[in-house]
Amino acid sequence: MKTAQEYYQEFLRLKAMPVPKRGHGIRYTRIVFWMLNAFVLACVGLFFLVLRFPILVEVRIFGYLISALMFTGIFVFPELFYDDHQLRKRYVKRKHPQLNRSMLRLRVNRRESVLYPAELHIEEKIYFMVAYYFSNKWWERRAWAHITGFMLFDEQGNAVRDAQLFGKALLTADYDKSGVVGIQKRLEEIPYDARFAEKKYLPRMERLLRRTEQRWEEEGKLYVWQEISKAMPLLYEAVKDMLHWYEFEMKIAKALGYSFGHRAYYEDAIHGERVWRTYGMYMWQKYGKTILNLRKTVKEVMGEVRWNPWDRYVLKLFYDTLEMILSRCLVAPLHNGRPIDSQWLLYRARLLLAERVGVPIIGSESLPEKNPYALKLYHDEPFRESDEQDWEEREMLAELDAVMKED
């Protein structure tokens, strides 16, 4: 296995390579900015209109106009002009009506919703990776939504039964997610989270360590104090390295046309996978073991210490910082596009439903029961003639899979 520095140099080289531009659109934050500006200008215009015609106040037209403008700006414009799901839903209904009918036939019931996909161009053919999800009512005290199924369709609306093609399609679909509005929102949070961790959360933890050494020793937790103190300089570096992930993901989002793109290409996704894996391996080599061990130790200590509320709050912020580094710099880049066990089971289950309801199925006659992508770093490893994966890579993926299942 390469060293951290070798992975870092390779990552910089791959990240600098151009990404083909596939669409044109506007960044989510710019849309919000111009919507707010238009709203303010409209309010000012209506204000001067009232000054010119005071009778409008008496008949309450001014209030009605402001209410209509706020409703339109907050609810209608976002849905019509930049919401990726609404754009793709209209596109699929208009361009692929047979596909739309097949997608809806595979719903378990009417409460199950369909996440409309982009066109996935794989080896000169078009496929669609459709996700089914169940949305709870707003008053129900459970998760807001959870995925209940996956299905791969071709352009004619036929279900596709093919293990290798499923891996290619999922990789391409994960690459396309960088243009989704929800992902854009989370990406925009990365610089702010990194800045707060570097300027606020980690310094607070350092101050807590300086004034509580004796308290740790009295509680028999001095080894925890020493472990955290030793790791602090490394955590500052890890937080700064988070920005590499943000820069590349936003580069992909721009190339896709942000939420206005309708197409994703397999050859682009392969390049994205190489960048993700190289970045993830660099972060693992440099910070992986430290983050996992420290996270486990701090999690155990959080339930045992009997401190004042402020000190417990600082310790909780420190644990959240470890979680942020783990999820965004290790789990995400090493798992993007690699089908996990739950996704494989949901795909197989939805194929059984397709057989039962009579949706045409093309492809191979059978699929392996176990996930062929388990403990594989790249999406094509299960189908290579010679698998020369390093045993350290398998051990690393096993640890991260255990973390995902634990959470």
Side-chain angles (χ1 to χ4, degrees):
M1 186 180 288
K2 301 177 183 177
T3 64
Q5 188 60 28
E6 289 174 335
Y7 276 119
Y8 182 67
Q9 294 301 324
E10 184 179 356
F11 165 72
L12 293 180
R13 179 182 61 81
L14 292 171
K15 190 180 77 165
M17 294 175 63
V19 178
K21 194 169 183 63
R22 302 298 188 180
H24 299 275
I26 307 173
R27 193 168 173 173
Y28 162 75
T29 50
R30 301 306 298 171
I31 294 174
V32 174
F33 173 77
W34 288 113
M35 283 174 56
L36 291 175
N37 274 271
F39 176 71
V40 171
L41 290 175
C43 289
V44 172
L46 289 174
F47 175 72
F48 282 106
L49 183 65
V50 169
L51 291 181
R52 180 70 178 82
F53 302 101
I55 189 66
L56 291 178
V57 178
E58 296 182 8
V59 297
R60 298 183 180 179
I61 293 180
F62 180 67
Y64 296 146
L65 289 174
I66 288 290
S67 300
L69 182 64
M70 289 181 64
F71 177 83
T72 304
I74 295 174
F75 297 105
V76 179
F77 286 160
E79 289 291 320
L80 290 178
F81 294 108
Y82 80 85
D83 184 78
D84 50 277
H85 185 254
Q86 293 299 325
L87 288 172
R88 293 175 180 181
K89 182 177 181 179
R90 291 196 294 270
Y91 180 80
V92 168
K93 284 185 174 182
R94 184 177 70 255
K95 294 288 186 179
H96 307 282
Q98 180 60 41
L99 169 67
N100 183 61
R101 287 192 289 270
S102 297
M103 290 165 53
L104 296 179
R105 286 183 66 188
L106 286 189
R107 291 183 301 174
V108 174
N109 53 52
R110 291 188 177 274
R111 286 194 63 188
E112 191 174 48
S113 303
V114 179
L115 189 61
Y116 280 81
E119 287 184 354
L120 307 180
H121 291 251
I122 304 173
E123 298 171 351
E124 300 182 353
K125 292 184 179 180
I126 297 177
Y127 297 94
F128 296 85
M129 178 62 73
V130 179
Y132 295 86
Y133 64 98
F134 179 81
S135 295
N136 298 317
K137 302 299 183 182
W138 61 270
W139 62 80
E140 294 179 342
R141 297 182 59 186
R142 288 183 290 172
W144 180 251
H146 59 271
I147 299 295
T148 56
F150 284 99
M151 178 49 64
L152 181 61
F153 290 97
D154 67 0
E155 199 172 3
Q156 288 73 39
N158 301 313
V160 179
R161 184 196 285 122
D162 191 313
Q164 188 172 6
L165 194 56
F166 177 72
K168 293 179 180 180
L170 191 64
L171 173 67
T172 313
D174 271 356
Y175 178 86
D176 176 69
K177 285 180 183 177
S178 296
V180 173
V181 170
I183 302 297
Q184 284 186 56
K185 292 178 181 178
R186 289 198 286 273
L187 287 175
E188 295 289 352
E189 295 172 0
I190 291 180
Y192 299 102
D193 292 343
R195 179 171 59 85
F196 271 93
E198 183 183 5
K199 303 296 183 182
K200 299 285 186 181
Y201 305 154
L202 294 181
R204 286 177 182 173
M205 190 62 195
E206 284 187 316
R207 292 194 292 271
L208 178 66
L209 291 172
R210 282 197 295 268
R211 61 184 173 80
T212 57
E213 180 180 2
Q214 185 176 357
R215 192 189 304 170
W216 291 92
E217 187 174 4
E218 290 174 355
E219 294 186 6
K221 303 293 182 182
L222 186 60
Y223 70 95
V224 179
W225 182 91
Q226 294 171 344
E227 185 178 352
I228 298 176
S229 301
K230 184 180 178 181
M232 289 305 293
L234 200 64
L235 295 179
Y236 276 101
E237 295 181 26
V239 166
K240 293 178 181 178
D241 280 339
M242 283 178 57
L243 297 179
H244 290 308
W245 174 258
Y246 167 76
E247 292 167 358
F248 181 68
E249 289 281 349
M250 291 309 300
K251 185 178 179 180
I252 295 177
K254 182 178 180 180
L256 289 168
Y258 299 103
S259 60
F260 295 89
H262 295 297
R263 300 173 182 85
Y265 289 78
Y266 174 61
E267 54 266 29
D268 300 343
I270 292 176
H271 172 67
E273 184 185 39
R274 291 176 62 199
V275 180
W276 293 331
R277 300 297 187 264
T278 307
Y279 173 75
M281 293 302 295
Y282 159 68
M283 296 296 288
W284 172 263
Q285 288 285 78
K286 192 171 183 181
Y287 311 109
K289 290 291 185 180
T290 301
I291 296 294
L292 285 180
N293 294 336
L294 201 58
R295 171 183 176 272
K296 182 179 179 180
T297 302
V298 174
K299 188 175 183 179
E300 293 174 353
V301 170
M302 284 174 59
E304 299 177 2
V305 293
R306 298 293 181 265
W307 297 349
N308 60 66
W310 174 253
D311 290 348
R312 291 178 62 85
Y313 175 68
V314 172
L315 190 61
K316 176 65 167 57
L317 291 178
F318 178 70
Y319 178 78
D320 291 342
T321 301
L322 296 176
E323 283 283 308
M324 176 180 64
I325 298 172
L326 177 65
S327 62
R328 291 179 176 171
C329 301
L330 290 170
V331 173
L334 290 171
H335 283 81
N336 270 3
R338 182 170 68 87
I340 59 177
D341 293 344
S342 60
Q343 292 171 328
W344 179 254
L345 292 175
L346 291 174
Y347 173 54
R348 283 176 50 86
R350 200 61 54 154
L351 277 170
L352 294 176
L353 178 62
E355 292 178 352
R356 192 159 61 246
V357 300
V359 172
I361 300 176
I362 62 174
S364 59
E365 293 297 326
S366 61
L367 294 176
E369 292 186 7
K370 293 185 178 180
N371 179 16
Y373 301 93
L375 302 184
K376 305 293 183 181
L377 192 60
Y378 289 88
H379 76 284
D380 59 344
E381 280 188 8
F383 308 98
R384 294 179 188 172
E385 292 184 1
S386 60
D387 187 1
E388 299 178 355
Q389 188 181 35
D390 194 295
W391 68 270
E392 293 182 10
E393 290 182 2
R394 295 182 185 274
E395 182 182 2
M396 172 204 64
L397 292 173
E399 288 190 56
L400 293 180
D401 283 352
V403 170
M404 292 179 65
K405 291 176 181 178
E406 175 187 340
D407 296 338

